[in-house]
Amino acid sequence: MSAAWQQPLPAMPVPPAGRAWRRWPPPPGYEVQWHRLAEAALELDLGPDQLAETGLEPVAAAREWKPATVALYSKVARYGGLALPRVRTPEPEPPELELRPLVELRGTDPEHVRAVVWCALALAWPAPVGMFRSLRRDQVHAGARRLVIRTDDGEWAVPGARTAWFAWETLRERYPALAASPWVLPALRRGPGLDSRIGGRLSNQALQVTFAKHAGRTARHLQATAPPSRQDAVSALAEAYRELSYDSFRRLALAAGATPVAPRGAVRAARSVARSARPVG
């Protein structure tokens, strides 16, 4: 006896994008990144199911995400259960890059000096951006020849950053909110959040934007001040700076021999060193 014919189930209505994201639990340990992904998708009125269908391309284009950011959020989406294709985290390109111009002081603008001291510390202490976000001033100690950073994970000597550090500390004393702030990289202005304040702790995203702005301004300065004989070399360096993210800066510092502070990025840096050491031909 054949089975009785059954009418197909009606198409289920798709819930509003905002409600769909609230129903979908974030992956443990990636709650912040998941909420940022949801915010970016909601700007295009995309729920989780629609994002799985379209992929990250529309969101990445709208937000102007760099390849490393696309790789990060595709990983977070997969951890949360969305069937997105795997995107490889890009290797630093080029594998070697002159980073010293990013640690040169060119004035006393607080935003510039704050970025310079960050880069100067990161050249020898290439911590992930989240560790810099939570780095406190009382964890940085000035020795006779170098700074020393002490955290719960250990102690690191940081050569070459004393000049930038003292310039930043001196500048902070001019502004009461910055002088009273416990953070090494405090906010310089109020943001959109209700609890945002001058001297408060910046978000990871705000720090990434801060670094990108500093790299772009350094690129413009290099091109404006380069002698004619170095225009070609400086133009190539400036072009690399315009695409440089802090994550790539960190991996380049690791590939140049800086001691790893955290496992993230250290493996890719080791691959970069091995790749650059291979004989050509």
Short mmCIF file of all heavy atoms in Angstrom, two decimals, residues 94-146:
data_model
loop_
_atom_site.label_atom_id
_atom_site.label_comp_id
_atom_site.label_asym_id
_atom_site.label_seq_id
_atom_site.Cartn_x
_atom_site.Cartn_y
_atom_site.Cartn_z
N PRO A 94 54.28 43.08 2.18
CA PRO A 94 55.40 42.14 2.03
C PRO A 94 55.79 41.49 3.34
O PRO A 94 55.40 41.97 4.39
CB PRO A 94 56.52 43.06 1.51
CG PRO A 94 56.19 44.39 2.11
CD PRO A 94 54.69 44.48 2.10
N PRO A 95 56.58 40.37 3.28
CA PRO A 95 56.94 39.70 4.53
C PRO A 95 57.87 40.52 5.41
O PRO A 95 57.99 40.25 6.59
CB PRO A 95 57.62 38.41 4.05
CG PRO A 95 58.07 38.70 2.66
CD PRO A 95 57.06 39.66 2.10
N GLU A 96 58.56 41.50 4.85
CA GLU A 96 59.41 42.41 5.61
C GLU A 96 59.04 43.84 5.23
O GLU A 96 58.75 44.14 4.07
CB GLU A 96 60.89 42.15 5.30
CG GLU A 96 61.37 40.76 5.73
CD GLU A 96 62.83 40.54 5.39
OE1 GLU A 96 63.45 41.49 4.85
OE2 GLU A 96 63.35 39.46 5.66
N LEU A 97 59.06 44.72 6.23
CA LEU A 97 58.68 46.10 5.99
C LEU A 97 59.38 46.99 7.00
O LEU A 97 59.48 46.63 8.18
CB LEU A 97 57.16 46.26 6.11
CG LEU A 97 56.55 47.59 5.66
CD1 LEU A 97 56.69 47.74 4.15
CD2 LEU A 97 55.08 47.66 6.05
N GLU A 98 59.88 48.14 6.55
CA GLU A 98 60.50 49.10 7.45
C GLU A 98 59.41 49.75 8.32
O GLU A 98 58.50 50.40 7.80
CB GLU A 98 61.24 50.17 6.64
CG GLU A 98 61.77 51.31 7.48
CD GLU A 98 62.70 50.84 8.58
OE1 GLU A 98 63.66 50.10 8.29
OE2 GLU A 98 62.46 51.21 9.74
N LEU A 99 59.50 49.54 9.63
CA LEU A 99 58.46 50.02 10.55
C LEU A 99 58.90 51.22 11.38
O LEU A 99 58.07 51.81 12.07
CB LEU A 99 58.04 48.89 11.50
CG LEU A 99 57.48 47.63 10.84
CD1 LEU A 99 57.21 46.55 11.89
CD2 LEU A 99 56.21 47.94 10.06
N ARG A 100 60.18 51.60 11.32
CA ARG A 100 60.67 52.66 12.19
C ARG A 100 59.96 54.00 11.97
O ARG A 100 59.76 54.74 12.94
CB ARG A 100 62.17 52.84 12.00
CG ARG A 100 63.03 51.63 12.33
CD ARG A 100 62.82 51.14 13.74
NE ARG A 100 63.07 52.15 14.75
CZ ARG A 100 62.95 51.94 16.05
NH1 ARG A 100 62.59 50.75 16.50
NH2 ARG A 100 63.17 52.90 16.92
N PRO A 101 59.58 54.39 10.74
CA PRO A 101 58.87 55.67 10.61
C PRO A 101 57.60 55.77 11.46
O PRO A 101 57.17 56.88 11.81
CB PRO A 101 58.54 55.73 9.11
CG PRO A 101 59.62 54.92 8.46
CD PRO A 101 59.89 53.80 9.42
N LEU A 102 57.01 54.63 11.80
CA LEU A 102 55.79 54.66 12.61
C LEU A 102 56.07 54.99 14.07
O LEU A 102 55.12 55.24 14.83
CB LEU A 102 55.07 53.31 12.52
CG LEU A 102 54.53 52.96 11.13
CD1 LEU A 102 54.14 51.49 11.06
CD2 LEU A 102 53.33 53.84 10.79
N VAL A 103 57.33 54.98 14.49
CA VAL A 103 57.65 55.27 15.89
C VAL A 103 58.40 56.59 16.02
O VAL A 103 58.97 56.89 17.08
CB VAL A 103 58.46 54.13 16.54
CG1 VAL A 103 57.70 52.82 16.43
CG2 VAL A 103 59.83 53.99 15.92
N GLU A 104 58.41 57.40 14.97
CA GLU A 104 59.09 58.69 15.01
C GLU A 104 58.12 59.79 15.41
O GLU A 104 57.06 59.95 14.81
CB GLU A 104 59.70 58.99 13.64
CG GLU A 104 60.80 58.03 13.24
CD GLU A 104 61.30 58.26 11.82
OE1 GLU A 104 60.72 59.15 11.14
OE2 GLU A 104 62.23 57.56 11.39
N LEU A 105 58.51 60.55 16.43
CA LEU A 105 57.68 61.67 16.90
C LEU A 105 57.81 62.84 15.93
O LEU A 105 58.92 63.27 15.60
CB LEU A 105 58.10 62.10 18.30
CG LEU A 105 57.71 61.16 19.44
CD1 LEU A 105 58.47 61.52 20.71
CD2 LEU A 105 56.21 61.21 19.68
N ARG A 106 56.65 63.37 15.49
CA ARG A 106 56.67 64.49 14.56
C ARG A 106 55.92 65.70 15.10
O ARG A 106 55.64 66.65 14.37
CB ARG A 106 56.02 64.07 13.23
CG ARG A 106 56.70 62.90 12.55
CD ARG A 106 56.18 62.73 11.14
NE ARG A 106 54.74 62.58 11.09
CZ ARG A 106 54.10 61.42 11.19
NH1 ARG A 106 54.80 60.30 11.35
NH2 ARG A 106 52.78 61.35 11.14
N GLY A 107 55.56 65.70 16.37
CA GLY A 107 54.83 66.81 16.95
C GLY A 107 54.29 66.44 18.31
O GLY A 107 54.66 65.41 18.90
N THR A 108 53.39 67.26 18.81
CA THR A 108 52.84 67.05 20.15
C THR A 108 51.32 66.84 20.14
O THR A 108 50.68 66.94 21.19
CB THR A 108 53.17 68.25 21.06
OG1 THR A 108 52.64 69.45 20.47
CG2 THR A 108 54.68 68.39 21.24
N ASP A 109 50.77 66.55 18.98
CA ASP A 109 49.34 66.25 18.94
C ASP A 109 49.08 64.97 19.74
O ASP A 109 49.75 63.95 19.51
CB ASP A 109 48.89 66.05 17.50
CG ASP A 109 47.43 65.63 17.42
OD1 ASP A 109 46.56 66.45 17.70
OD2 ASP A 109 47.18 64.45 17.09
N PRO A 110 48.15 64.98 20.70
CA PRO A 110 47.94 63.80 21.55
C PRO A 110 47.66 62.52 20.78
O PRO A 110 48.15 61.45 21.14
CB PRO A 110 46.76 64.20 22.44
CG PRO A 110 46.82 65.69 22.50
CD PRO A 110 47.32 66.11 21.14
N GLU A 111 46.87 62.62 19.71
CA GLU A 111 46.55 61.41 18.94
C GLU A 111 47.80 60.83 18.29
O GLU A 111 47.99 59.61 18.25
CB GLU A 111 45.49 61.72 17.89
CG GLU A 111 44.88 60.49 17.26
CD GLU A 111 43.65 60.82 16.44
OE1 GLU A 111 43.45 62.00 16.10
OE2 GLU A 111 42.89 59.88 16.13
N HIS A 112 48.66 61.72 17.80
CA HIS A 112 49.90 61.26 17.17
C HIS A 112 50.84 60.64 18.20
O HIS A 112 51.38 59.54 17.99
CB HIS A 112 50.59 62.44 16.48
CG HIS A 112 52.00 62.17 16.06
ND1 HIS A 112 52.34 61.30 15.05
CD2 HIS A 112 53.18 62.64 16.56
CE1 HIS A 112 53.65 61.25 14.92
NE2 HIS A 112 54.18 62.04 15.82
N VAL A 113 51.04 61.29 19.33
CA VAL A 113 51.97 60.79 20.34
C VAL A 113 51.47 59.47 20.92
O VAL A 113 52.26 58.55 21.16
CB VAL A 113 52.20 61.84 21.44
CG1 VAL A 113 53.20 61.32 22.48
CG2 VAL A 113 52.72 63.14 20.84
N ARG A 114 50.18 59.36 21.14
CA ARG A 114 49.63 58.11 21.65
C ARG A 114 49.89 56.96 20.67
O ARG A 114 50.28 55.85 21.08
CB ARG A 114 48.12 58.24 21.89
CG ARG A 114 47.46 57.01 22.48
CD ARG A 114 45.96 57.17 22.55
NE ARG A 114 45.36 57.33 21.23
CZ ARG A 114 44.06 57.49 21.00
NH1 ARG A 114 43.22 57.50 22.02
NH2 ARG A 114 43.60 57.64 19.78
N ALA A 115 49.70 57.20 19.38
CA ALA A 115 49.95 56.15 18.38
C ALA A 115 51.43 55.80 18.30
O ALA A 115 51.80 54.63 18.14
CB ALA A 115 49.43 56.61 17.01
N VAL A 116 52.30 56.80 18.42
CA VAL A 116 53.74 56.55 18.35
C VAL A 116 54.19 55.69 19.53
O VAL A 116 54.96 54.73 19.35
CB VAL A 116 54.52 57.88 18.31
CG1 VAL A 116 56.01 57.64 18.56
CG2 VAL A 116 54.33 58.56 16.96
N VAL A 117 53.72 55.99 20.74
CA VAL A 117 54.15 55.19 21.89
C VAL A 117 53.60 53.77 21.78
O VAL A 117 54.27 52.80 22.17
CB VAL A 117 53.73 55.87 23.21
CG1 VAL A 117 52.25 55.69 23.51
CG2 VAL A 117 54.56 55.33 24.38
N TRP A 118 52.41 53.61 21.23
CA TRP A 118 51.87 52.26 21.00
C TRP A 118 52.79 51.47 20.06
O TRP A 118 53.19 50.34 20.36
CB TRP A 118 50.46 52.37 20.43
CG TRP A 118 49.80 51.06 20.14
CD1 TRP A 118 50.20 49.81 20.55
CD2 TRP A 118 48.60 50.85 19.39
NE1 TRP A 118 49.33 48.85 20.10
CE2 TRP A 118 48.34 49.46 19.37
CE3 TRP A 118 47.73 51.71 18.72
CZ2 TRP A 118 47.24 48.91 18.72
CZ3 TRP A 118 46.63 51.17 18.07
CH2 TRP A 118 46.39 49.77 18.08
N CYS A 119 53.15 52.08 18.93
CA CYS A 119 54.00 51.38 17.97
C CYS A 119 55.39 51.10 18.55
O CYS A 119 55.97 50.05 18.31
CB CYS A 119 54.13 52.21 16.69
SG CYS A 119 52.59 52.33 15.74
N ALA A 120 55.92 52.05 19.33
CA ALA A 120 57.24 51.86 19.92
C ALA A 120 57.23 50.69 20.90
O ALA A 120 58.16 49.89 20.94
CB ALA A 120 57.69 53.15 20.62
N LEU A 121 56.18 50.58 21.69
CA LEU A 121 56.06 49.45 22.60
C LEU A 121 55.87 48.14 21.83
O LEU A 121 56.47 47.11 22.16
CB LEU A 121 54.88 49.66 23.55
CG LEU A 121 55.02 50.77 24.60
CD1 LEU A 121 53.69 50.99 25.32
CD2 LEU A 121 56.11 50.44 25.61
N ALA A 122 55.04 48.19 20.79
CA ALA A 122 54.68 46.97 20.06
C ALA A 122 55.84 46.42 19.23
O ALA A 122 55.85 45.23 18.93
CB ALA A 122 53.47 47.23 19.16
N LEU A 123 56.81 47.24 18.87
CA LEU A 123 57.95 46.73 18.12
C LEU A 123 58.71 45.68 18.93
O LEU A 123 59.24 44.71 18.38
CB LEU A 123 58.89 47.87 17.74
CG LEU A 123 58.62 48.60 16.43
CD1 LEU A 123 59.68 49.64 16.18
CD2 LEU A 123 58.54 47.63 15.25
N ALA A 124 58.79 45.88 20.25
CA ALA A 124 59.50 44.92 21.10
C ALA A 124 58.56 44.08 21.95
O ALA A 124 58.97 43.03 22.45
CB ALA A 124 60.48 45.67 22.02
N TRP A 125 57.33 44.53 22.10
CA TRP A 125 56.32 43.80 22.89
C TRP A 125 55.07 43.67 22.01
O TRP A 125 54.07 44.35 22.21
CB TRP A 125 56.00 44.55 24.18
CG TRP A 125 55.21 43.77 25.18
CD1 TRP A 125 55.62 42.68 25.89
CD2 TRP A 125 53.85 44.02 25.59
NE1 TRP A 125 54.61 42.24 26.72
CE2 TRP A 125 53.51 43.04 26.56
CE3 TRP A 125 52.90 44.97 25.23
CZ2 TRP A 125 52.26 42.99 27.17
CZ3 TRP A 125 51.64 44.92 25.85
CH2 TRP A 125 51.33 43.94 26.80
N PRO A 126 55.12 42.80 20.99
CA PRO A 126 54.04 42.73 19.99
C PRO A 126 52.81 41.99 20.51
O PRO A 126 52.48 40.89 20.06
CB PRO A 126 54.69 42.00 18.82
CG PRO A 126 55.73 41.14 19.47
CD PRO A 126 56.24 41.89 20.66
N ALA A 127 52.13 42.61 21.43
CA ALA A 127 50.94 42.00 22.03
C ALA A 127 49.74 42.20 21.12
O ALA A 127 49.68 43.17 20.35
CB ALA A 127 50.65 42.61 23.40
N PRO A 128 48.74 41.31 21.19
CA PRO A 128 47.49 41.54 20.45
C PRO A 128 46.83 42.83 20.90
O PRO A 128 47.08 43.34 22.01
CB PRO A 128 46.64 40.31 20.81
CG PRO A 128 47.62 39.27 21.26
CD PRO A 128 48.74 40.02 21.91
N VAL A 129 45.96 43.35 20.06
CA VAL A 129 45.34 44.64 20.35
C VAL A 129 44.54 44.60 21.65
O VAL A 129 44.49 45.58 22.39
CB VAL A 129 44.46 45.08 19.15
CG1 VAL A 129 43.25 44.19 18.99
CG2 VAL A 129 44.03 46.53 19.30
N GLY A 130 43.95 43.44 21.98
CA GLY A 130 43.19 43.35 23.22
C GLY A 130 44.05 43.52 24.46
O GLY A 130 43.59 44.06 25.47
N MET A 131 45.31 43.06 24.40
CA MET A 131 46.21 43.24 25.54
C MET A 131 46.62 44.70 25.68
O MET A 131 46.75 45.21 26.81
CB MET A 131 47.43 42.35 25.39
CG MET A 131 47.13 40.86 25.51
SD MET A 131 48.60 39.81 25.36
CE MET A 131 49.45 40.19 26.90
N PHE A 132 46.81 45.39 24.56
CA PHE A 132 47.11 46.82 24.64
C PHE A 132 45.91 47.60 25.16
O PHE A 132 46.07 48.59 25.87
CB PHE A 132 47.55 47.36 23.28
CG PHE A 132 49.03 47.32 23.09
CD1 PHE A 132 49.61 46.39 22.23
CD2 PHE A 132 49.85 48.20 23.76
CE1 PHE A 132 50.98 46.34 22.06
CE2 PHE A 132 51.23 48.17 23.58
CZ PHE A 132 51.80 47.23 22.73
N ARG A 133 44.72 47.17 24.80
CA ARG A 133 43.51 47.84 25.28
C ARG A 133 43.47 47.83 26.81
O ARG A 133 43.02 48.79 27.43
CB ARG A 133 42.28 47.15 24.71
CG ARG A 133 40.97 47.69 25.24
CD ARG A 133 39.77 46.98 24.63
NE ARG A 133 38.54 47.53 25.14
CZ ARG A 133 37.75 46.95 26.02
NH1 ARG A 133 38.06 45.75 26.50
NH2 ARG A 133 36.64 47.53 26.43
N SER A 134 43.93 46.74 27.43
CA SER A 134 43.85 46.59 28.88
C SER A 134 45.16 46.89 29.59
O SER A 134 45.24 46.70 30.81
CB SER A 134 43.40 45.16 29.21
OG SER A 134 42.13 44.88 28.66
N LEU A 135 46.18 47.35 28.86
CA LEU A 135 47.47 47.63 29.49
C LEU A 135 47.38 48.89 30.34
O LEU A 135 46.96 49.95 29.87
CB LEU A 135 48.55 47.79 28.41
CG LEU A 135 49.99 47.95 28.92
CD1 LEU A 135 50.46 46.70 29.65
CD2 LEU A 135 50.92 48.31 27.76
N ARG A 136 47.80 48.77 31.59
CA ARG A 136 47.72 49.89 32.53
C ARG A 136 49.08 50.58 32.66
O ARG A 136 50.12 49.97 32.47
CB ARG A 136 47.24 49.42 33.91
CG ARG A 136 45.89 48.75 33.90
CD ARG A 136 45.42 48.48 35.34
NE ARG A 136 46.43 47.78 36.12
CZ ARG A 136 46.58 46.47 36.13
NH1 ARG A 136 45.80 45.70 35.39
NH2 ARG A 136 47.52 45.91 36.88
N ARG A 137 49.04 51.83 33.03
CA ARG A 137 50.28 52.59 33.17
C ARG A 137 51.18 52.01 34.27
O ARG A 137 52.40 52.05 34.16
CB ARG A 137 49.95 54.05 33.49
CG ARG A 137 49.25 54.76 32.36
CD ARG A 137 48.65 56.07 32.81
NE ARG A 137 49.64 57.13 32.95
CZ ARG A 137 49.36 58.33 33.44
NH1 ARG A 137 48.14 58.60 33.84
NH2 ARG A 137 50.31 59.25 33.53
N ASP A 138 50.56 51.48 35.32
CA ASP A 138 51.38 50.94 36.40
C ASP A 138 52.04 49.62 36.03
O ASP A 138 52.82 49.06 36.82
CB ASP A 138 50.56 50.78 37.68
CG ASP A 138 49.38 49.82 37.53
OD1 ASP A 138 49.31 49.10 36.52
OD2 ASP A 138 48.51 49.82 38.42
N GLN A 139 51.76 49.10 34.83
CA GLN A 139 52.44 47.90 34.35
C GLN A 139 53.67 48.22 33.51
O GLN A 139 54.39 47.31 33.11
CB GLN A 139 51.47 47.04 33.53
CG GLN A 139 50.33 46.44 34.33
CD GLN A 139 49.37 45.67 33.46
OE1 GLN A 139 48.70 46.23 32.59
NE2 GLN A 139 49.29 44.36 33.68
N VAL A 140 53.89 49.51 33.24
CA VAL A 140 55.04 49.94 32.44
C VAL A 140 56.00 50.69 33.36
O VAL A 140 55.62 51.68 33.99
CB VAL A 140 54.60 50.84 31.27
CG1 VAL A 140 55.81 51.24 30.42
CG2 VAL A 140 53.56 50.15 30.42
N HIS A 141 57.22 50.21 33.43
CA HIS A 141 58.21 50.78 34.34
C HIS A 141 59.43 51.23 33.55
O HIS A 141 59.92 50.49 32.68
CB HIS A 141 58.62 49.74 35.40
CG HIS A 141 57.46 49.12 36.11
ND1 HIS A 141 56.91 49.67 37.26
CD2 HIS A 141 56.71 48.03 35.81
CE1 HIS A 141 55.89 48.92 37.65
NE2 HIS A 141 55.75 47.93 36.79
N ALA A 142 59.90 52.44 33.84
CA ALA A 142 61.03 53.00 33.12
C ALA A 142 62.33 52.64 33.82
O ALA A 142 62.54 53.00 34.99
CB ALA A 142 60.90 54.52 33.02
N GLY A 143 63.20 51.90 33.12
CA GLY A 143 64.53 51.60 33.63
C GLY A 143 65.53 52.60 33.11
O GLY A 143 65.19 53.58 32.44
N ALA A 144 66.79 52.37 33.40
CA ALA A 144 67.83 53.30 32.99
C ALA A 144 68.00 53.31 31.47
O ALA A 144 68.30 54.36 30.89
CB ALA A 144 69.15 52.93 33.66
N ARG A 145 67.79 52.16 30.81
CA ARG A 145 68.02 52.08 29.38
C ARG A 145 66.79 51.63 28.59
O ARG A 145 66.76 51.80 27.38
CB ARG A 145 69.17 51.12 29.08
CG ARG A 145 70.51 51.58 29.64
CD ARG A 145 71.62 50.63 29.24
NE ARG A 145 72.92 51.07 29.71
CZ ARG A 145 74.06 50.44 29.51
NH1 ARG A 145 74.05 49.31 28.80
NH2 ARG A 145 75.19 50.90 29.98
N ARG A 146 65.85 51.05 29.25
CA ARG A 146 64.69 50.51 28.53
C ARG A 146 63.49 50.46 29.45
O ARG A 146 63.61 50.59 30.67
CB ARG A 146 64.99 49.11 28.00
CG ARG A 146 65.34 48.09 29.07
CD ARG A 146 65.88 46.81 28.46
NE ARG A 146 67.15 47.07 27.78
CZ ARG A 146 67.74 46.21 26.95
NH1 ARG A 146 67.17 45.06 26.68
NH2 ARG A 146 68.88 46.50 26.38
#
